[in-house]
Amino acid sequence: MPPSVMGPAQPPPEAIPSPVAPAVFARLGRYEIIGVLGRGGMATVYRARHPGLGQEVALKVLHSHLAADPSFVGRFQTEARAVAGLRHPNIIRVLDFDFINDTYFIVMEYIAGETLAERTARFAEQGQYPDLPEAVRLFTPLCSALDYAHRQGMIHRDIKPTNILLTQEGDPVLTDFGIARILGSARYTQTGFVVGSAHYMSPEQAQDLTSDPRSDLYSLGVVLFEFLTGRVPFEGDTTATVLLKHLTASVPAARPLNPKLPEGIEEVLSIVLAKEPEGRYQTAGQLAAALAAVMSGVGAPSAPPAPELMRGATRVEAFDVTDGAGGSQEAAAEDDADETPLII
């Protein structure tokens, strides 16, 4: 843990406050709490201000009852160190992480915008669907962000629309690497559950099999399908039903749901949502190139062979999940409350 830059330690409150009483927790180190963004299984997310800099930030504060468990604290610190080392314009920045007594927290940039989930829901409610150029505009930088993270040896494992924030300028920012790991590092997880959100999980995650960056591509493919059509490709009344469809059901056609889409998009979606990782695009950059090719009328290239980057990935530890939705950074934080303790 790096030296604290938070000033003199001060006793933390006995318990994390509920979202209806943020004033109880009005200060943490030098940060002034000005609101509650949401509460998840591992942390409460606060909107805060650095008084010296006048900068607003988002604070993820580990729930006090978890701090006594070395595995939870280890996972919290692993996330902070991993994400703090990422430098990409489309990945949320971690500015600091520290602890005061038994209160652990991560300081992130605050993005005052909506999530991709909210954008997608708004289109669907109005009976309007985005065209392919808008999808290319949003998903090309997301592919760049994933390629960058994968080259650093990290996979996200929980890509979904509520983990993609849109800035006020409309640029996408990937957030919440709460279940990301450096491949091959110590794993602070429990066995017997499923990592990720059921509608966006890859088949290998659903089976607790070996996971690698291509699992992220599958999840991003689900997000892409939903963005283009207003619905996820695989739906069901229960988590088990959804997971079974990821394993066995064919990818539904997208163009009947959104007639504005060109014919080539069907092949792109069928490749990125292939049941076997070897049948998918092997890097996020290849997915971006395929989308650009379809938009230009060239057609979608086939999935190329797996590069060396994809080999030797770690085994996914499983976490049980339920489904969530929301909008804005506030809703993204609240979405975690409906899911497992893995997401903070």
Side-chain angles (χ1 to χ4, degrees):
M1 177 67 66
S4 173
V5 296
M6 306 307 296
Q10 53 184 308
E14 290 300 318
I16 300 296
S18 68
V20 298
V24 176
F25 199 25
R27 193 176 185 90
L28 181 59
R30 68 180 66 183
Y31 293 97
E32 298 175 344
I33 307 299
I34 59 177
V36 177
L37 299 178
R39 185 175 182 132
M42 275 187 64
T44 297
V45 184
Y46 296 94
R47 184 177 177 181
R49 180 188 299 110
H50 188 298
L53 299 177
Q55 179 182 10
E56 288 195 7
V57 296
L59 293 182
K60 281 188 177 183
V61 182
L62 186 68
H63 292 333
S64 58
H65 70 277
L66 300 176
D69 185 343
S71 67
F72 278 94
V73 172
R75 186 164 63 237
F76 184 85
Q77 294 175 339
T78 296
E79 178 197 358
R81 289 194 182 99
V83 182
L86 298 178
R87 294 289 184 272
H88 191 280
N90 302 103
I91 296 178
I92 199 165
R93 288 183 298 134
V94 167
L95 307 174
D96 188 21
F97 67 100
D98 206 345
F99 66 94
I100 296 177
N101 296 337
D102 290 331
T103 299
Y104 290 78
F105 58 96
I106 298 176
V107 184
M108 303 176 300
E109 65 177 319
Y110 172 67
I111 296 178
E114 62 182 354
T115 68
L116 188 62
E118 186 175 71
R119 174 76 59 85
T120 301
R122 189 169 65 251
F123 277 130
E125 289 171 1
Q126 297 172 352
Q128 300 176 353
Y129 300 102
D131 55 19
L132 186 59
E134 174 65 5
V136 170
R137 186 190 73 81
L138 290 174
F139 281 80
T140 297
L142 289 173
C143 287
S144 174
L146 277 183
D147 263 353
Y148 168 78
H150 292 163
R151 288 195 300 270
Q152 312 311 307
M154 295 179 59
I155 52 180
H156 191 289
R157 292 193 180 96
D158 193 31
I159 293 175
K160 56 187 178 182
T162 51
N163 280 342
I164 299 170
L165 301 176
L166 300 176
T167 68
Q168 293 180 334
E169 292 74 28
D171 297 323
V173 178
L174 184 59
T175 186
D176 206 347
F177 270 82
I179 52 175
R181 276 333 154 265
I182 298 176
L183 302 186
S185 67
R187 289 161 290 152
Y188 302 99
T189 56
Q190 303 173 7
T191 58
F193 299 92
V194 181
V195 173
S197 302
H199 285 105
Y200 305 94
M201 290 176 59
S202 68
E204 55 270 25
Q205 284 179 293
Q207 299 177 89
D208 190 22
L209 299 176
T210 299
S211 178
D212 63 32
R214 293 170 296 185
S215 294
D216 280 351
L217 295 188
Y218 183 97
S219 299
L220 188 64
V222 175
V223 175
L224 174 64
F225 186 100
E226 183 180 17
F227 181 71
L228 291 172
T229 67
R231 50 159 285 189
V232 292
F234 305 116
E235 299 178 302
D237 295 332
T238 66
T239 296
T241 300
V242 174
L243 297 182
L244 182 62
K245 288 185 176 181
H246 280 298
L247 296 172
T248 62
S250 300
V251 179
R255 295 182 71 222
L257 301 171
N258 182 356
K260 293 193 296 184
L261 296 175
E263 183 175 351
I265 194 64
E266 303 287 10
E267 185 174 1
V268 173
L269 293 171
S270 67
I271 292 174
V272 75
L273 295 176
K275 305 302 182 187
E276 297 296 332
E278 293 76 15
R280 299 173 203 151
Y281 298 113
Q282 303 297 293
T283 68
Q286 292 167 2
L287 171 59
L291 289 172
V294 171
M295 187 172 68
S296 66
V298 174
S302 301
E308 194 67 28
L309 171 67
M310 301 299 161
R311 303 187 178 112
T314 58
R315 180 181 177 79
V316 170
E317 307 294 345
F319 274 75
D320 191 17
V321 298
T322 56
D323 306 320
S328 77
Q329 192 164 13
E330 289 88 341
E334 291 168 358
D335 179 55
D336 296 338
D338 296 330
E339 302 197 3
T340 62
L342 188 59
I343 315 298
I344 70 172

